Amino acid sequence: MTVDLKNRNYLSCSDLNLEEINFIFNLASSIKNNTFNQSYKKTLGLIFEKSSTRTRCSLSAAIFKLGGNCIDLNPKNTQIGRGEPIKDTARVLSRYIDVLAIRTFEQKILEEYVRWSQIPIINSLSDEEHPCQALSDFFTIWEIFGKLSDINLAYVGDSNNVANSLIICASILGVNISIASPKNFEPDDAIVFKAKMINENNTLKVTNNPIEAVESANVIYTDVWTSMGQEEDKEKKDELFKNFCVDQNLISTCKNDPIIMHCLPAYRGKEISDEILEKNQEIIFKQAENRMHIQQALLAAIM
Ligand code: CP
Ligand code: NVA
């Protein structure tokens, strides 16, 4: 390996630079082509405080395919759920396992694990970011278009964890990104500032008009309007977001013929119509599959 990522934490998309992301993409390609066959007798621990199908299963499959194994540290039946402090849990787990993947609420919970662990920590979704998702999605875009330069990505919907990671990763990779969210649901200033700090030439555009965002899009991306842990706002958001559905009406305003992406799970008839999801199912399920290949590459690099 030419790039050394051993023991690297991955809490935010900004934890990998352009060269390192390209390294992970190339490693994931070798893994997909079966030209990478190193074996790792390593153990991955999963601490998931929110539901998950793709992230949990793709990480578990990824470590098995690398020759390692996986322990599900379900907070409900470990002492984590009974309030054992992170500083104790992290120091204990560092003695048994080699890498920890955590799905949780605030980013500071992940930072506390990093502070007390001697093993790398992977953010498997927090309220702030979903970096494995964005990394994998740009890999999918790279596979489909054969490049990332001159790609216009339009994200339509809630400026949530997935949108934040897409913004940061797009800034590192030099992908043009437009975000269309209803008023008061635009990306936080801190994320916009972070994207600018990473690449002062980044072309992030924020609008309240989905038609404006998708006009020149090659890729339209959407995610749920209500993220896990924010369910109390669901009814209000369903009303406020109703003009932000990725459907045929919106797509027919595009100049190009964009591909449609969704990280899943999807709520058909809300952020995406059933018709558009099914028309793009090949891309959307390729996205889901690539989660496993990218995480296999990430694990191989950091363990
Ligand atoms: N996209 C994604 O992270 O899905 P899960 O919530 O099923 O892991
Ligand atoms: N924004 C969504 C992503 C789910 C994969 C959530 O946090 O619930």
Side-chain angles (χ1 to χ4, degrees):
M1 293 184 185
T2 48
V3 170
D4 185 8
L5 290 174
K6 209 162 163 47
N7 289 323
R8 182 73 64 89
N9 298 299
Y10 193 51
L11 300 198
S12 163
C13 280
S14 60
D15 288 335
L16 295 178
N17 64 27
L18 180 59
E19 187 190 10
E20 291 162 345
I21 293 177
N22 282 327
F23 172 78
I24 296 288
F25 283 7
N26 285 315
L27 193 54
S29 287
S30 316
I31 286 168
K32 276 186 93 165
N33 301 334
N34 294 319
T35 51
F36 178 85
N37 40 30
Q38 285 184 43
S39 180
Y40 297 76
K41 280 204 168 147
K42 302 275 186 174
T43 301
L44 165 71
L46 299 178
I47 300 176
F48 276 47
E49 297 190 88
K50 295 176 180 172
S51 303
S52 170
T53 299
R54 279 144 289 270
T55 311
R56 175 192 291 280
C57 296
S58 57
L59 276 164
S60 309
I63 192 80
F64 285 126
K65 283 172 191 286
L66 286 170
N69 67 358
C70 184
I71 303 177
D72 185 2
L73 296 151
N74 182 342
K76 287 206 180 97
N77 54 29
T78 57
Q79 303 291 2
I80 297 166
R82 294 182 61 242
E84 183 167 12
I86 292 173
K87 63 180 176 184
D88 293 350
T89 304
R91 282 180 287 183
V92 170
L93 293 178
S94 296
R95 289 160 191 255
Y96 304 146
I97 61 179
D98 303 288
V99 52
L100 253 185
I102 303 172
R103 172 166 286 201
T104 189
F105 296 87
E106 299 122 303
Q107 197 75 4
K108 66 172 192 242
I109 297 174
L110 295 165
E111 286 157 7
E112 180 75 354
Y113 272 100
V114 165
R115 181 167 171 217
W116 294 100
S117 298
Q118 284 169 319
I119 53 175
I121 307 293
I122 298 175
N123 178 357
S124 302
L125 182 146
S126 64
D127 292 343
E128 196 169 303
E129 278 209 50
H130 196 0
C132 294
Q133 181 72 54
L135 189 63
S136 171
D137 294 334
F138 281 109
F139 176 71
T140 302
I141 296 170
W142 180 66
E143 276 192 328
I144 293 170
F145 291 90
K147 61 171 189 176
L148 287 169
S149 56
D150 303 321
I151 297 294
N152 301 326
L153 170 66
Y155 176 94
V156 177
D158 188 30
S159 296
N160 59 18
N161 43 12
V162 171
N164 289 344
S165 287
L166 289 171
I167 290 170
I168 294 169
C169 212
S171 192
I172 300 167
L173 293 167
V175 173
N176 305 317
I177 184 164
S178 306
I179 306 284
S181 299
K183 202 162 168 30
N184 301 322
F185 294 92
E186 299 95 342
D188 280 350
D189 290 347
I191 294 294
V192 176
F193 180 74
K194 192 170 182 178
K196 203 76 193 161
M197 286 293 104
I198 288 168
N199 177 0
E200 59 176 5
N201 297 320
N202 88 69
T203 55
L204 168 66
K205 286 196 194 82
V206 178
T207 171
N208 302 123
N209 181 355
I211 295 176
E212 193 183 316
V214 303
E215 189 185 8
S216 309
N218 308 106
V219 180
I220 300 178
Y221 195 120
T222 189
D223 180 23
V224 292
W225 294 337
T226 299
S227 288
M228 289 180 279
Q230 299 168 7
E231 286 79 7
E232 75 274 14
D233 295 332
K234 187 177 175 307
E235 272 179 37
K236 187 180 88 184
K237 280 181 126 178
D238 281 354
E239 183 56 29
L240 288 169
F241 281 70
K242 65 178 185 236
N243 295 328
F244 288 75
C245 178
V246 175
D247 58 12
Q248 191 52 47
N249 281 343
L250 181 65
I251 293 167
S252 59
T253 67
C254 297
K255 282 199 296 218
N256 302 321
D257 184 18
I259 62 163
I260 312 299
M261 298 180 79
H262 194 307
C263 57
L264 300 177
Y267 290 86
R268 289 166 164 84
K270 301 280 185 191
E271 77 275 4
I272 190 165
S273 68
D274 180 53
E275 179 197 5
I276 294 304
L277 194 156
E278 291 305 333
K279 251 195 202 165
N280 289 273
Q281 60 84 22
E282 209 169 307
I283 286 155
I284 290 170
F285 291 104
K286 182 185 179 72
Q287 250 184 289
E289 179 190 324
N290 278 340
R291 295 290 308 279
M292 181 178 68
H293 305 302
I294 276 289
Q295 286 160 184
Q296 210 175 323
L298 184 67
L299 286 168
I302 68 174
M303 286 189 311

